[in-house]
DNA sequence: GGATAATACGGAGCGCCACTCCGTTTTTGG
DNA sequence: CCAAAAACGGAGTGGCGCTCCGTATTATCC
């Protein structure tokens, strides 16, 4: 338990306010000042806790990102078939749930930079295991890499972010290609 | 020939300056004031010619969008096979060439709104013809629509916009799915 | 339990952005 | 050549992400 009690309390309030606001209007459209106001906190406090907007996004999204890595391990343990599609569905759902995230997720996953970077890396490792198993079973083309899989899934998720359409048909087509 | 001569000249200069700047730094990062300065014109002039940034983008991108529709017709006339892939490659190249365009292109194609809307609609019609022919030949799955095809291709293009990676591998996978 | 040092808070302010408004200059047509 | 119409230039606006610093709050030590 680190830091002062008021600091911890304010940080928690900020993350909660950000989660709500991001879900309501999208991460792009949400203004940092509005997050601070909703949390009942001064703007300065927000910026001390999170050095930039992406850091706040990372905190909001972090847990469910960790959840994705865990889900991959669990599917690998319990699901004899169709686990790859199940997991990609979950990935797309996760990105769709956090509007405005796709772009920063993509960047973070690619460069490994920023606060999202390490967590994305964990997700990629989990995806790699899942993909390897699927390839053994002939459920995925052998030349596909985990990074490519994530890129494609993120792209599909992004389409529904921009169009507010249903990504399911897109995923069907994509999975025909993954084989 | 409509309007005053200086107005026409300035408009042309603005479009040219925007084309250059967008290509150099990306449409998102390019500031409207910089476009005006590069064109040797006051900011007010820029905003009278184009009511918002997207309108300027539309003008810059319009011609090559028209070119895409024409290309579809030409491929249909001259290319006995592989025309669908050729065209999608061109579509992706077009979007990649105009960094920052993918999102507004997607929105315009979807809602048919804005200055890009009608031109995107023409592209979609052209794509529909191309796709129908490919489906006759068994080169594309029958349940795919032109809108979905464009969405998928735009999504793939967007991945390379965010990651500066090569979209070719993505397209390979995608086309396996298109069948 | 009070004094003091460490820590966190609040909000005014900065630079940049897309975008607006209006007084001034240039083109045009009779 | 001269007015009316049309277009120009650029200062100004509000909102954004983000910084800075004087003030208030918490923790520590006697």
């Amino acid at each position: 338990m680190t830091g002062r009690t008021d600091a911890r309390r304010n940080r928690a309030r900020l993350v909660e306010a950000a989660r709500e606001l991001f879900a309501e209007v999208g991460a792009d459209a949400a203004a940092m000042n509005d997050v601070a106001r909703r949390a009942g906190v001064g703007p300065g406090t927000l910026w001390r806790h999170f050095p930039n907007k992406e850091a706040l996004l990372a905190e909001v999204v972090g847990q469910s990102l960790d959840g994705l890595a865990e889900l991959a391990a669990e599917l690998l343990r319990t699901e004899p078939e169709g686990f790859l599609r199940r997991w990609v569905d979950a990935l797309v759902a996760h990105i769709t749930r956090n509007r405005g995230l796709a772009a920063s997720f993509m960047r973070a996953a690619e460069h490994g930079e920023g606060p999202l970077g390490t967590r994305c890396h964990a997700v990629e490792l989990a995806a790699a295991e899942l993909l390897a198993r699927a390839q053994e079973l002939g459920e995925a083309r052998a030349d596909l890499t985990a990074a490519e899989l994530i890129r494609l899934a993120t792209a599909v998720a992004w389409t529904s972010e921009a169009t507010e359409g249903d990504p399911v048909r897109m995923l069907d087509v994509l999975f025909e290609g993954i084989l």
Side-chain angles (χ1 to χ4, degrees), chain A residues 2-145:
Chain A
T2 158
R4 255 166 59 171
T5 59
D6 56 345
R8 282 201 310 277
R9 190 203 52 200
N10 281 338
R11 185 189 169 88
R13 283 186 183 172
L14 283 167
V15 172
E16 180 56 23
R19 193 195 320 276
E20 291 172 14
L21 201 59
F22 287 179
E24 284 174 22
V25 304
D28 283 350
M32 293 293 266
N33 280 356
D34 291 343
V35 173
R37 194 175 320 123
R38 182 183 283 236
V41 148
T45 300
L46 171 52
W47 290 105
R48 198 170 339 91
H49 279 287
F50 304 94
N52 50 55
K53 193 172 181 176
E54 195 190 339
L56 180 56
L57 240 176
E59 191 60 33
V60 167
V61 153
Q63 298 94 332
S64 60
L65 217 49
D66 297 345
L68 273 178
E70 288 169 24
L71 176 65
E74 188 187 326
L75 286 175
L76 210 50
R77 231 184 300 113
T78 64
E79 213 71 29
E81 61 184 22
F83 51 84
L84 192 61
R85 173 65 190 259
R86 294 267 305 263
W87 186 78
V88 169
D89 281 348
L91 173 60
V92 170
H94 168 259
I95 294 173
T96 305
R97 213 179 300 125
N98 300 277
R99 289 194 295 156
L101 173 68
S104 37
F105 180 88
M106 181 75 86
R107 266 190 299 273
E110 206 67 18
H111 309 130
E113 293 167 4
L116 271 175
T118 54
R119 273 169 147 147
C120 284
H121 193 61
V123 171
E124 188 171 328
L125 287 181
E129 284 189 60
L130 217 57
L131 180 60
R133 179 76 189 123
Q135 285 167 334
E136 279 176 29
L137 296 175
E139 288 187 5
R141 50 190 290 172
D143 62 346
L144 191 69
T145 71

